Amino acid sequence: MKTKVKKIAENPKLREAVHSMKPTRTIWGFLGVVLFFIVPEVIAFLWGGEITQFATQALVHADSAALKAYYNALIFLFEDGGSWVNLGIGIGFLVWLFR
């Protein structure tokens, strides 16, 4: 099994494919990772309970289907607080970006 994994890791086509997926080192790549992976998780850790409480109360008074869908999405996203897995993935992407 170890030899098979080692052969796969040393495959030049696989290395080329992984290298082609890596984003370029720009401010946009950094901001993209920070804004889409790290900031939402930090917000969820800090204010997840308050956001969920607000959305639950506002859901009762929502009069359109679009507002109900919006508040349900907020509840779904923030009811469990932040995710250490997603935060770890974001930090991993940052390391991969600048490595």
Side-chain angles (χ1 to χ4, degrees), residues 49-81:
E50 289 88 354
I51 293 171
T52 303
Q53 183 180 8
F54 165 76
T56 304
Q57 291 173 356
L59 185 61
V60 174
H61 303 294
D63 55 351
S64 69
L67 276 177
K68 288 180 182 181
Y70 173 72
Y71 291 130
N72 279 326
L74 280 178
I75 292 169
F76 176 73
L77 288 173
F78 293 105
E79 70 184 341
D80 295 330

Side-chain angles (χ1 to χ4, degrees), residues 25-96:
R25 294 180 194 175
T26 63
I27 188 70
W28 298 113
F30 172 77
L31 288 176
V33 170
V34 169
L35 290 176
F36 289 110
F37 285 97
I38 296 174
V39 170
E41 294 306 321
V42 171
I43 290 171
F45 279 121
L46 296 177
W47 297 292
E50 289 88 354
I51 293 171
T52 303
Q53 183 180 8
F54 165 76
T56 304
Q57 291 173 356
L59 185 61
V60 174
H61 303 294
D63 55 351
S64 69
L67 276 177
K68 288 180 182 181
Y70 173 72
Y71 291 130
N72 279 326
L74 280 178
I75 292 169
F76 176 73
L77 288 173
F78 293 105
E79 70 184 341
D80 295 330
S83 168
W84 290 103
V85 174
N86 287 346
L87 193 59
I89 289 170
I91 292 170
F93 278 150
L94 281 179
V95 169
W96 185 42

